[in-house]
Amino acid sequence: MTKTSNPAELAAIAKTVRRHIIEMITAAKSGHPGGSLSATEIVTTLFFDVMKHDPQNPSWAERDRFLMGKGHACPVLYSVMAQCGYTPVDKLNTFRHLGSIYQGHPDVRFIPALEASTGSLGQALSVGLGMAIAAKLDKSPSRTFVVLGDGEIQEGQIWEAAMAAAFHKADNLVAIVDWNKIQLDGFVQDIMPLEPLVEKWKSFGWHVIEIDGHNIEALQKAFAEAESAKGVPSVILANTIKGKGVSFMENNPKWHGTAPSKEESALALKELA
Amino acid sequence: MAISTKYELKLGAATREAFGRTLAELGNKNKNVVVCDADLSKSTYTVFFQKEHPDRFIECGIAEANMVAIGSGLAAAGKIPFVSSFSAFVINKGFEQLRVTAAYPNVNLKVVGTHSGISIGEDGPSQMSIEDLSLACNLPGFTVLAPADEVSMAACIHLAAETFGPFFVRAGRAKAAIVYEPGTKFHVGGSHQLIDGKDIAIFANGLLVAEAIKAAEQLDAIGISARVIDLYSIKPIDREAITKAAEECGAIVVAEEHLKDTGIGTRVAQVVVETAPCVMEFVGLTNYAESGTPEAVLEKYGMTASVIVTAAKKALARKKK
């Protein structure tokens, strides 16, 4: 893989990721386009710029680790990992098919380069904290990044992990909330409001950074700021748009977990050309 | 080891205490061993480890589900984490986390549940786990061990540390009678025949192993020859010993400090039905217990040698038909 810090190059990779997301979910006739599209810049920037990792040596002890808490958004992760060289790009369209390594939610049994099987919401931050503590014990520079859905953080376990991460001074742990304001049943505000979110994380002892989660330069700055915050874990509250990049999917709860038809898919790919 | 029908059962340490001591020693030998506890270290005895290895003791506060998943993360990053709390909390509150973060990705997590069964006594049913073995057995890939005394607990903790994969080890609060001589070997999937007998076989685990020994002596006194087997490895289970007992004795009693309907008895019965069907009786719990002294609670809820004797007689009466 060729890493880059050039925002324009990262944006180009992100565009390919978006195309993959639409193609995979269309081929599977099921999946979650909205939350994959909203997290595209976050995951792309992490794997292609921020994280220290080596697709030729996935178990390198000092690698940075990535966990997709909102496992249903795995199409974005699969596309990025495939483009990095961990898994075949030409098999992405087997997503959700029997026997595919691209399972409906990330599954280490099929892709050993994944750090954990995720998708039962609320658990990945705890697992990531365990990894962060292990790195501290080993005096390893390894950092752990966990992408969380905004709906996901309604899970009580998130706040158990938040408390524990601050107590253990896990400054090598970074949570990124893909704050797209929509969950399966509708707008977060109507299902179970999270506000005041900045204050919530602050009160749990975290260093909080709020940004536009589609702005690659803002993401780069946020990850650097998180690295410089010592003695406390950091959370990046990334304001995003569900379905970002496909006009008819943007900000519409319908596209949380609906696959586009062939016609809709063609329309989306045209927009992402 | 020397076994006679005249067993001398001396009260030893509680298995939770043996767990704590073994863990602290293990920490000296293996620097990868780390321990998580949820504000119960003085009760689970992980405090012994904390005192000797404070840097590798991870306090998780009263948040068992979080603790289980932290443990899985530690394991995925190469550590050998022991996460411990009362069985009633770590298994029940952590079940989904055990399933998703440990069982199905097959991580090297070790769960030790203390204060198992009803023998905790005074604290009452909210703290008593009577479903834990069944729940743990429901997790594919998990090895489930229920040692009877301090010797077997120490061995089981070593087995857990040395064998890759997720483990659940059941520990009790009450002092346990010493059944084994130091140095006795244990293995995953094993069992120990403590008393030989030909008329009936009694399978037990945990505190009920000592009761099974007493029951065998009472049966011996009335001319019934009972075999006693400690089924410390619940999953995998010793199919060979079960089949042999079914074939040679033709009658089996299973005794456990756990719900009868979902416990070891059902697992033994499954083997028996598959290999050598025979008469069976079950001694176990049918509902939640209540507060009281451990002795009084065990007596009232039938976790005693005399109940095992009655079950054996019942099985033998059916066997004769």
Side-chain angles (χ1 to χ4, degrees):
Chain A
M1 68 174 293
T2 311
K3 287 185 76 173
T4 177
S5 294
N6 181 331
E9 287 176 15
L10 290 166
I13 297 167
K15 188 176 261 187
T16 307
V17 171
R18 287 206 160 87
R19 292 181 60 86
H20 285 161
I21 291 167
I22 297 299
E23 288 166 355
M24 292 169 77
I25 296 172
T26 306
K29 297 193 179 86
S30 80
H32 300 78
S36 299
L37 293 166
S38 64
T40 297
E41 281 81 8
I42 296 167
V43 182
T44 303
T45 305
L46 276 170
F47 274 82
F48 278 92
D49 182 16
V50 177
M51 292 200 309
K52 294 179 196 74
H53 63 118
D54 180 4
Q56 300 306 311
N57 186 13
S59 52
W60 173 36
E62 295 192 350
R63 70 188 180 279
D64 289 340
R65 292 183 156 87
F66 178 87
L67 297 167
M68 193 69 166
K70 42 179 268 173
H72 56 273
C74 56
V76 59
L77 178 60
Y78 293 157
S79 169
V80 169
M81 286 183 76
Q83 290 195 70
C84 286
Y86 284 104
T87 52
V89 173
D90 62 2
K91 293 282 196 302
L92 282 172
N93 287 355
T94 64
F95 172 57
R96 290 192 166 218
H97 286 71
L98 194 66
S100 172
I101 63 164
Y102 298 117
Q103 292 283 299
H105 288 76
D107 189 333
V108 287
R109 296 176 305 165
F110 293 85
I111 304 178
L114 289 166
E115 301 292 351
S117 296
T118 54
S120 173
L121 299 178
Q123 303 194 11
L125 189 60
S126 310
V127 176
L129 174 57
M131 291 172 174
I133 292 172
K136 290 241 170 209
L137 287 169
D138 291 338
K139 302 198 176 1
S140 162
S142 169
R143 299 169 76 201
T144 300
F145 298 88
V146 187
V147 167
L148 305 170
D150 49 356
E152 176 178 14
I153 66 179
Q154 290 163 353
E155 291 277 7
Q157 190 182 342
I158 292 291
W159 304 101
E160 294 183 359
M163 240 188 299
F167 173 69
H168 289 289
K169 300 183 169 55
D171 53 9
N172 53 354
L173 178 67
V174 181
I176 306 101
V177 178
D178 179 16
W179 197 1
N180 63 33
K181 325 291 187 296
I182 291 173
Q183 56 191 113
L184 192 149
D185 270 350
F187 289 90
V188 172
Q189 195 54 38
D190 301 325
I191 307 296
M192 185 54 65
L194 301 170
E195 292 284 12
L197 198 53
V198 170
E199 287 78 1
K200 276 199 177 85
W201 284 97
K202 274 188 182 161
S203 72
F204 276 80
W206 285 56
H207 179 71
V208 185
I209 306 161
E210 187 180 356
I211 56 161
D212 169 357
H214 298 304
N215 182 329
I216 288 168
E217 288 176 67
L219 280 162
Q220 290 171 314
K221 273 188 206 150
F223 288 121
E225 184 181 328
E227 191 167 17
S228 66
K230 296 299 171 200
V232 286
S234 289
V235 60
I236 298 170
L237 300 177
N239 288 284
T240 58
I241 294 166
K242 196 126 175 172
K244 172 76 174 177
V246 178
S247 59
F248 59 89
M249 289 186 176
E250 286 191 1
N251 214 25
N252 181 350
K254 176 192 165 183
W255 297 103
H256 171 90
T258 309
S261 67
K262 279 192 178 161
E263 295 71 27
E264 288 164 331
S265 180
L267 209 59
L269 291 171
K270 205 171 159 187
E271 289 187 19
L272 294 167
Chain B
M1 62 180 293
I3 298 291
S4 78
T5 47
K6 294 289 167 218
Y7 232 98
E8 280 192 37
L9 290 169
K10 271 185 265 173
L11 213 53
T15 48
R16 60 172 170 146
E17 189 177 339
F19 154 60
R21 291 202 189 286
T22 308
L23 200 56
E25 288 164 21
L26 204 57
N28 294 320
K29 290 184 202 146
N30 192 333
K31 302 290 175 206
N32 273 330
V33 170
V34 295
V35 174
C36 301
D37 200 294
D39 187 44
L40 287 172
S41 65
K42 291 188 186 76
S43 300
T44 61
Y45 281 112
T46 60
V47 69
F48 292 153
F49 184 95
Q50 184 185 18
K51 279 185 183 150
E52 292 193 32
H53 316 286
D55 53 324
R56 284 184 276 144
F57 178 85
I58 299 152
E59 179 56 71
C60 291
I62 307 167
E64 294 79 8
N66 184 47
M67 175 173 74
V68 166
I70 288 175
S72 292
L74 286 159
K79 300 295 171 194
I80 304 172
F82 280 78
V83 304
S84 187
S85 181
F86 290 10
S87 284
F89 311 142
V90 71
I91 290 285
N92 291 278
K93 294 193 192 194
F95 190 73
E96 217 248 293
Q97 289 71 15
L98 291 168
R99 189 176 82 88
V100 177
T101 71
Y104 115 76
N106 191 40
V107 305
N108 198 22
L109 177 72
K110 317 302 173 185
V111 182
V112 180
T114 68
H115 297 65
S116 306
I118 62 170
S119 49
I120 66 166
E122 288 87 347
D123 275 334
S126 71
Q127 324 289 300
M128 294 169 174
S129 70
I130 58 173
E131 319 90 340
D132 55 310
L133 290 174
S134 158
L135 286 166
C137 285
N138 266 321
L139 296 163
F142 262 75
T143 296
V144 180
L145 306 175
D149 70 355
E150 57 187 75
V151 176
S152 51
M153 173 54 86
C156 286
I157 293 304
H158 280 281
L159 278 179
E162 290 153 15
T163 315
F164 186 89
F167 272 66
F168 173 64
V169 184
R170 187 188 219 215
R173 178 184 182 276
K175 287 183 191 306
I178 297 172
V179 175
Y180 291 102
E181 289 171 4
T184 309
K185 301 275 183 237
F186 293 81
H187 65 272
V188 169
S191 67
H192 273 300
Q193 181 175 300
L194 302 173
I195 298 176
D196 196 9
K198 58 180 175 33
D199 297 330
I200 190 159
I202 305 168
F203 286 91
N205 67 63
L207 283 191
L208 286 194
V209 171
E211 294 304 307
I213 290 167
K214 288 182 210 161
E217 286 167 355
Q218 290 172 25
L219 289 164
D220 184 57
I222 54 169
I224 296 165
S225 162
R227 177 179 301 187
V228 175
I229 296 169
D230 172 12
L231 212 48
Y232 61 85
S233 180
I234 288 158
K235 191 181 151 194
I237 203 162
D238 191 344
R239 293 176 66 89
E240 206 180 311
I242 294 167
T243 303
K244 194 162 169 270
E247 283 170 351
E248 292 176 3
C249 304
I252 288 175
V253 173
V254 183
E256 54 191 321
E257 198 186 345
H258 188 276
L259 280 176
K260 187 157 74 169
D261 288 355
T262 57
I264 319 318
T266 60
R267 296 179 62 75
V268 172
Q270 189 176 13
V271 175
V272 169
V273 167
E274 283 171 358
T275 61
C278 74
V279 174
M280 287 189 75
E281 287 289 332
F282 304 91
V283 173
L285 299 159
T286 53
N287 207 338
Y288 296 100
E290 64 187 283
S291 290
T293 64
E295 298 74 22
V297 172
L298 288 168
E299 179 73 33
K300 178 164 178 179
Y301 289 88
M303 301 282 94
T304 58
S306 68
V307 175
I308 298 173
V309 166
T310 305
K313 287 180 184 165
K314 214 168 142 191
L316 286 168
R318 285 168 57 213
K319 182 184 166 186
K320 279 171 191 161
K321 274 182 199 166

